[in-house]
């Protein structure tokens, strides 16, 4: 009798456990029927098994994301949502079967326009119900801003915030209960979006990780676009030939590498580097591996802050050190940078506008227009602080696209606006400088900090900024430092080269003076 009972129970149990995966699948497939979202269209769902490669045949080719490997079993919900009669967003919500109860929103990059599938996969594989949008338009250009302020409004703040509201709602309906905590993870434009949320939608997130923020957006764009008129075309006598940048980099290292105590090719404090390029002036009869007086002037301007017609600061200088990590390829090619689309389509509304004609008056125009407060420079974060939010801000110190000198400037702006000392800011806002990290990832330093799937060395909160913000929010343990990893030749397969602890502002990393500099314990964070 008892054994029959157990056998029956066993059979039942087997039946249930066998039914579970297919019931998740079933629930996923029928899910759109239970959704009723005003202004949403084309709502679809599909069950995606771990290790599936999703193909996106209709994605804009400029996004360079034709497919994505999916790491965990999940329900993929897609929809379109009208943000106005002439604008809308594409939304993806990835709902993992093994849900941690947490919610996360990803961000975007550049002027795009591109759903960051790799971030959707990264967060959903860690158990977050994860949302992403196309930021209100498809592709990497700014063409769709032309004569459509609603598309600009989506880009400035509305796409992300709307995605969060929808994503939370869909998460709740799907799992039958609301999320526990909500998070944000983004870099570059994604960093600006994170800050926009902290400043203007403080209720959206409990924890925000914002990297290399494109905030002070109008002025950053002026700075990005001023390099073309500065260098001129490759034929101009002011133009610096691309092949001399490694020499310039070495000259910078010769002058500044040891300011942190070690000549290792990594500047822990590029802000302290007062680079003097005069040694590169061509001697008489010398014509290679040197610069003319005019080229030297271009170089000096590059490493000087950009000012406006009245002498006020537009944007800080490019930090010295990024000569091999994107700066020459981005700004010194003698060709327009992609962000020129902002001036072309959102400021001048003129498809024929020539980026070579940018002038200081235009910086003022853009910053005065400040469409939908895209500047993202509010210094009062009281509402976010008061709701218990935490923000982890980081910036790579060999970022060749967004100068890392701008990040501490924002930190000081918040400190002054809120009248809070760094010790007080530490309660909810921490800024980390990542030495040797290029724009959002890569570079010669210990740049693997878990901010993106391809930059993960560990899931330990000491070494992973996403896990660090989760621990800060949920356990109240704030990150003191971020332990980064550098792999041999930047590739994981080649093994670990060294680790280094990245310091929290306003401290800087210095070598203690003895022991192997590749051992992170031989460095310390000291006051700047
Ligand atoms: C996915 O692929 C990896 C590596 O090929 C394998 O180790 C893992 O077991 C696979 N997972 C599933 C759920 O098939
Ligand atoms: C739906 O769209 C209309 C027209 O664009 C708008 O007025 C309304 O606020 C939208 N509703 C929601 C819930 O967003
Ligand atoms: C942007 O630049 C303008 C000058 O064009 C300046 O007045 C303004 O303060 C700058 N904004 C920020 C956030 O630095
Ligand atoms: C371009 O359009 C925007 C609205 O999207 C407007 O604010 C701006 O003044 C226009 N620029 C010019 C030069 O007309
Ligand atoms: C690292 O790169 C250098 C130069 O490209 C090469 O000589 C070396 O073999 C590489 N080392 C490893 C472990 O891949
Ligand atoms: Ca050094």
């Amino acid at each position: 009798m008892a054994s029959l009972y157990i056998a029956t129970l066993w059979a039942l149990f087997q039946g249930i456990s066998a039914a579970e995966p297919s019931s998740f699948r079933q629930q996923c497939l029928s899910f759109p029927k239970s959704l009723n979202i005003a202004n949403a269209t084309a709502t679809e769902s599909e069950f995606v098994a771990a290790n599936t490669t999703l193909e996106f045949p209709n994605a804009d080719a400029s996004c360079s994301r034709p497919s994505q490997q999916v790491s965990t079993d999940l329900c993929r919900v897609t929809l379109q949502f009208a943000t106005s009669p002439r604008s809308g967003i594409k939304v993806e919500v990835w709902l993992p079967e093994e849900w941690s109860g947490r919610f996360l929103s990803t961000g975007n990059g550049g002027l795009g326009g591109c759903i960051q599938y790799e971030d959707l996969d990264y967060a959903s594989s860690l158990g977050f119900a994860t949302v992403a949008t196309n930021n209100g338009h498809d592709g990497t250009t700014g063409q769709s801003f032309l004569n459509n302020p609603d598309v600009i409004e989506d880009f400035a703040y509305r796409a992300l915030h709307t995605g969060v509201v929808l994503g939370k709602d869909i998460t709740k309906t799907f799992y039958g209960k609301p999320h526990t905590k909500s998070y944000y993870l983004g870099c570059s434009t994604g960093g600006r979006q994170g800050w926009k949320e902290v400043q203007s939608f403080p209720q959206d997130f409990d924890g925000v990780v914002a990297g290399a923020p494109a905030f002070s957006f109008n002025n950053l764009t002026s700075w990005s676009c001023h390099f073309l008129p500065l260098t001129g075309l490759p034929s101009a006598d002011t133009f610096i030939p691309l092949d001399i940048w490694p020499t310039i980099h070495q000259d910078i290292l010769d002058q500044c590498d040891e300011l942190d105590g070690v000549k290792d090719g990594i500047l822990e404090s590029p802000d302290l580097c007062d680079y003097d390029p005069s040694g590169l002036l061509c001697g008489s009869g010398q014509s290679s591996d040197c610069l003319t007086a005019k080229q030297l002037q271009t170089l000096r301007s590059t490493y000087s802050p950009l000012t406006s017609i009245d002498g006020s600061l537009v944007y800080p200088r490019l930090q010295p050190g990024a000569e091999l990590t994107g700066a020459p390829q981005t700004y010194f090619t003698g060709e327009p940078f992609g962000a020129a689309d902002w001036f072309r389509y959102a400021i001048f509304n003129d498809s024929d506008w020539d980026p070579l004609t940018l002038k200081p008056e235009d910086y003022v125009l853009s910053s005065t227009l400040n469409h939908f407060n895209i500047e993202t420079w509010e210094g009062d974060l009281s509402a976010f602080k008061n709701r218990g939010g935490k923000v982890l801000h980081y910036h790579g110190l060999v970022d060749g696209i967004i100068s890392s000198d701008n990040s501490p400037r924002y930190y000081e702006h918040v400190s002054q606006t809120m009248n809070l000392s760094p010790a007080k800011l530490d309660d909810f806002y921490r800024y980390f400088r990542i030495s040797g990290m290029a724009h959002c990832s890569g570079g010669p330093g210990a740049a693997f900090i878990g901010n993106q799937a391809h930059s993960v060395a560990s899931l330990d909160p000491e070494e992973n900024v996403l896990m660090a913000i989760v621990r800060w929010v949920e356990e109240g343990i704030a990150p003191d430092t971020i332990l980064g990893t550098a792999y041999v030749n930047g590739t994981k397969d080649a093994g670990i080269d060294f680790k280094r602890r990245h310091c929290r502002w306003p401290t800087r990393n210095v070598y203690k003076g003895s022991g192997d500099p590749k051992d992170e314990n031989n460095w310390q964070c000291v006051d700047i």
Side-chain angles (χ1 to χ4, degrees), residues 165-282:
V165 172
L166 290 171
K168 286 181 174 179
D169 209 30
I170 289 169
T171 298
K172 182 176 167 192
T173 308
F174 184 77
Y175 294 108
K177 56 182 177 187
H179 66 274
T180 51
K181 297 290 179 187
S182 62
Y183 297 93
Y184 177 79
L185 182 67
C187 194
S188 194
T189 279
R192 182 189 69 77
Q193 291 169 306
W195 276 111
K196 174 57 82 184
E197 286 282 307
V198 169
Q199 295 168 10
S200 303
F201 301 97
Q203 299 306 323
D204 278 359
F205 299 115
D206 297 290
V208 167
V209 178
F215 52 15
S216 190
F217 177 86
N218 299 291
N219 290 14
L220 162 65
T221 305
S222 293
W223 178 77
S224 300
C225 295
H226 98 284
F227 289 110
L228 179 63
L230 176 70
T231 63
L233 301 177
S235 55
D237 56 5
T238 44
F239 187 82
I240 298 173
L242 285 181
D243 59 10
I244 202 176
W245 283 100
T247 303
I248 297 169
H249 180 68
Q250 191 55 51
D251 197 38
I252 287 169
L253 290 185
D254 289 346
Q255 293 182 33
C256 298
D257 193 356
E258 219 169 349
L259 290 173
D260 53 29
V262 180
K263 268 190 182 294
D264 58 354
I266 295 168
L267 308 182
E268 291 293 333
S269 301
D271 54 319
L272 300 182
C273 179
D274 190 11
Y275 174 52
D276 173 9
S278 55
L280 294 178
L281 183 66
C282 297

Side-chain angles (χ1 to χ4, degrees), residues 37-40 81-87 162:
I37 302 174
N39 295 349
F81 183 86
T83 51
S84 81
R86 55 174 180 179
S87 63
T162 304

